[in-house]
Amino acid sequence: MSKIVDTHAHVFTHQCRVAKKPRHRPSYEAPLERYLGLLDRFGIAQGVLVQPSFLGTHNEYLMECLRQQPGRLRGVAVLDPSVTDATLEAMTSLGVGGTRLNWIGRGVDELRSPEWSALFSRLESRGWHVEIQAEGDTLLEILDLLDTRDLALVIDHFGRPQANAWRDPVIDRLCAEGDDKRYWVKCSAPYRSRSDGLVDVSKRLLEELGSHRLMWGSDWPWTEHEHLYSFEQALHDAERWIPAADLATVMGETPRRFYGFDG
């Protein structure tokens, strides 16, 4: 497949501004040049850069990378509700099409505030999506909160299931969606899940959502799990999770359509 899209990678350097009190901050750099070299090496056509949690809302490097590679990259930013419309317009023009809620270890009440509600309305008007990294009850509460919003919802890392496909309430929710729901699920980062049954999770998601709702991501550079994973393993896992007949759709057609890549 020459049109593979890696929908989940992070880039950062020592020059990037860092969020206040990050949960984790790598001691190394993961610059754009190194990531592009990996895409070339493994025959991956395009990539989606997701703002890492430890950089917070400092999206400057993300935007610079998109500026350098407009045809090859798209972006997902992390926003503060006070972000200006001018900034949102600038991001949109560079290929940012969504914001990430990294809600590990955080309560959902904050997202119910008038400020966040107003931001979600502004994102709706721009056709942005919301990408969610959360797990368990927190993820379910966020899905409830955004249920009536006209926003596509991208679920990180299989929804970080904590049990197998037939006992995990998050997988139950994702698989119970009706035609009015807007869930896309990233098949990525098995080390961020507490379930050892991701083959079954993938099978159930594929059966219930279809290959047009699943996407693959490398999660490069595998922060906090660098010693456990590699690009080779990420590509091998995709072949374990997704039947051969569906690989071209999950790894190419679906993300190209979702992120607006040409061709």
Side-chain angles (χ1 to χ4, degrees):
M1 288 179 292
S2 61
K3 294 187 176 181
I4 295 174
V5 178
D6 175 9
T7 68
H8 201 97
H10 310 290
V11 292
F12 47 88
T13 70
H14 291 320
Q15 284 70 47
C16 293
R17 292 193 291 165
V18 179
K20 293 181 179 180
K21 298 180 180 179
R23 289 185 293 108
H24 167 75
R25 182 186 180 185
S27 60
Y28 57 86
E29 294 185 298
L32 176 63
E33 294 77 13
R34 189 179 304 163
Y35 178 61
L36 294 177
L38 288 166
L39 295 188
D40 291 341
R41 175 183 170 188
F42 291 99
I44 298 171
Q46 278 112 0
V48 179
L49 303 181
V50 179
Q51 176 78 343
S53 61
F54 53 87
L55 297 187
T57 59
H58 304 304
N59 296 285
E60 299 92 349
Y61 187 58
L62 171 69
M63 296 174 71
E64 176 57 31
C65 292
L66 298 179
R67 192 174 289 111
Q68 292 181 31
Q69 296 284 328
R72 197 171 193 187
L73 300 175
R74 296 290 185 269
V76 177
V78 172
L79 302 177
D80 185 273
S82 64
V83 63
T84 66
D85 287 338
T87 296
L88 290 177
E89 292 301 326
M91 288 182 170
T92 301
S93 70
L94 289 173
V96 176
T99 187
R100 190 188 199 201
L101 301 179
N102 195 323
W103 236 252
I104 300 297
R106 300 177 67 173
V108 179
D109 284 348
E110 178 184 349
L111 297 175
R112 298 188 175 95
S113 69
E115 293 79 11
W116 275 102
S117 180
L119 176 61
F120 292 139
S121 294
R122 290 194 286 156
L123 299 183
E124 284 178 309
S125 69
R126 288 170 170 80
W128 278 35
H129 65 273
V130 174
E131 180 168 328
I132 306 165
Q133 167 155 239
E135 59 187 14
D137 290 342
T138 299
L139 177 52
L140 295 175
E141 286 186 61
I142 294 174
L143 295 180
D144 286 340
L145 177 67
L146 298 177
D147 187 58
T148 60
R149 290 284 185 176
D150 187 18
L151 293 164
L153 304 179
V154 178
I155 313 303
D156 273 351
H157 312 323
F158 294 100
R160 298 175 63 122
Q162 301 175 52
N164 66 38
W166 285 271
R167 290 193 295 114
D168 191 273
V170 167
I171 303 304
D172 286 344
R173 172 69 62 84
L174 298 179
C175 290
E177 73 156 9
D179 292 338
D180 60 328
K181 299 295 180 65
R182 303 157 306 279
Y183 300 154
W184 280 257
V185 180
K186 288 188 178 180
C187 301
S188 56
Y191 38 82
R192 303 192 195 279
S193 168
R194 300 180 193 177
S195 172
D196 58 1
L198 292 182
V199 171
D200 288 336
V201 169
S202 302
K203 180 180 178 181
R204 188 176 176 202
L205 290 171
L206 192 61
E207 289 175 350
E208 299 295 338
L209 298 181
S211 57
H212 64 292
R213 293 294 184 88
L214 303 186
M215 301 186 283
W216 168 81
S218 70
D219 196 35
W220 187 81
W222 319 295
T223 54
E224 298 185 86
H225 301 274
E226 296 87 352
H227 61 296
L228 295 177
Y229 219 54
S230 65
F231 243 102
E232 291 92 340
Q233 186 63 48
L235 290 166
H236 173 71
D237 280 344
E239 295 179 351
R240 288 197 312 114
W241 297 328
I242 308 298
D246 296 303
L247 272 176
T249 302
V250 172
M251 299 183 75
E253 295 169 18
T254 298
R256 293 179 76 80
R257 181 171 57 253
F258 186 86
Y259 291 103
F261 287 110
D262 296 331

